[in-house]
Amino acid sequence: MLSLSQATIETFLDELWSIDGLSDNTLNAYRTDLSLLACFLAAQRIELKQAGKQDLRDYLGWRKDKGFAKSSSARVLSAMRRFFGYLLEKTIIQLDPCVELSAPKRDRKLPGTLSEQDVERLLAEPDPEDTLECRDQAMLELLYATGLRVTELVGLTLDQISLRQGVVRVVGKGGKERLVPIGEMASASLERYLVSARELLLGGQSADVVFPSSQGRMMTRQTFWHRIKRYALRAGIHGDISPHTLRHAFATHLLNHGADLRVVQLLLGHSSLSTTQIYTHVAKLRLAQLHSEHHPRG
C-alpha cells in the first residue's frame, strides 16, 4: 500500500501526464526525485506536503554534502517547484515552500582546446591547390585569427571584410557589430582564396557570401564542422574537435601570450565580462606553469 506522500506524488504525476503529456522518462525522473525527498522528510517525521522552506533547504544541503551533482540538484528543484505549485493550485497547501529557493550554480566548464602545435598542424592540412580545401584553409585561418562564432563565419559577406585595413566587421548576437583584426597569415590565406578558388566554387553564380558551399550557397554549420573533423583526423589530432574548439584556442592562446581579459571579451563579442571569466582559469594555469618552469624554487 502506498504511503500518503507516495500517493500524492502519483496523483501529481497522473495529472502531469494527462495535461502536459510528459514523456515516461521525465515522469520517472520526477517520481525518483520526489520519492527521495519524501524519504528524507519521513526520516524526520515530516510528511511531504507539510514540508516548509527550511526543510527543502536542508534537503538540498544534504544532497550537496552527499556529493550529488549540481545539475542533478537543479533538476530536483525543478521537480519540487512543479509539485508544490500543483499542491498550491489544488489548495492542498496555503504557501509554496519553494519561493525564494534557488538552484545551485552549475560549474562552468571550459570547452576543449588545442595546443599551438596542434593548431599549426590543423591549419597546414588543407591543400591550397584544391578548390574546396583552399576555401577551408582560409576559413580555418580566419577562425583561429579572429575567434568568430561558426554562425558568424559561415554567414560572412564580402562587404564585411577589408583586406586593405586587415579587419573583419562581425555582426554578432543581438545584431551587435564589432571589428576584429584578421592578421597577416589569415589575410594571405583569405586573399589567395578570393583570387583563385571562390569564383570556381560559385561556377558563374553571383553571391555575397564569402565562403560558399560546393553548390554556390551559404555553407551550413554542420558542413563546416564535418570539414574540420576531416582535417583533424588527417593531421592525427584526436578528441572532440569543432569550430568552437578553434574559437576557444584563439582566446586561450591570446591570454597565454599576455592579452588582457577585457580585450579578449571585445574580440569574442561577449556582452558581459562574466562570460569571458571562464578563461581566467587558463591564465592562472599558464602562470603556474611559467612559475614552475622558470622560478628557482618553483
Side-chain angles (χ1 to χ4, degrees), residues 155-162 194 198-199 207-211:
L156 278 179
T157 54
L158 291 174
D159 65 347
Q160 291 179 252
I161 292 179
S162 173
L194 291 173
R198 183 172 180 274
E199 292 302 318
D208 290 334
V209 65
V210 177
F211 301 112

Side-chain angles (χ1 to χ4, degrees), residues 220-234:
T220 65
R221 295 174 301 163
Q222 291 79 7
T223 296
F224 186 53
W225 180 81
H226 286 298
R227 302 291 291 180
I228 287 184
K229 293 283 287 184
R230 175 184 177 184
Y231 295 121
L233 287 173
R234 276 171 34 180

Side-chain angles (χ1 to χ4, degrees), residues 48-72:
L48 183 57
K49 64 183 180 182
Q50 296 173 338
K53 186 182 302 182
Q54 190 56 52
D55 299 321
L56 300 186
R57 282 194 176 128
D58 290 343
Y59 176 63
L60 292 174
W62 173 81
R63 290 181 63 89
K64 181 179 179 181
D65 292 342
K66 291 295 182 180
F68 283 90
K70 291 182 180 179
S71 57
S72 167

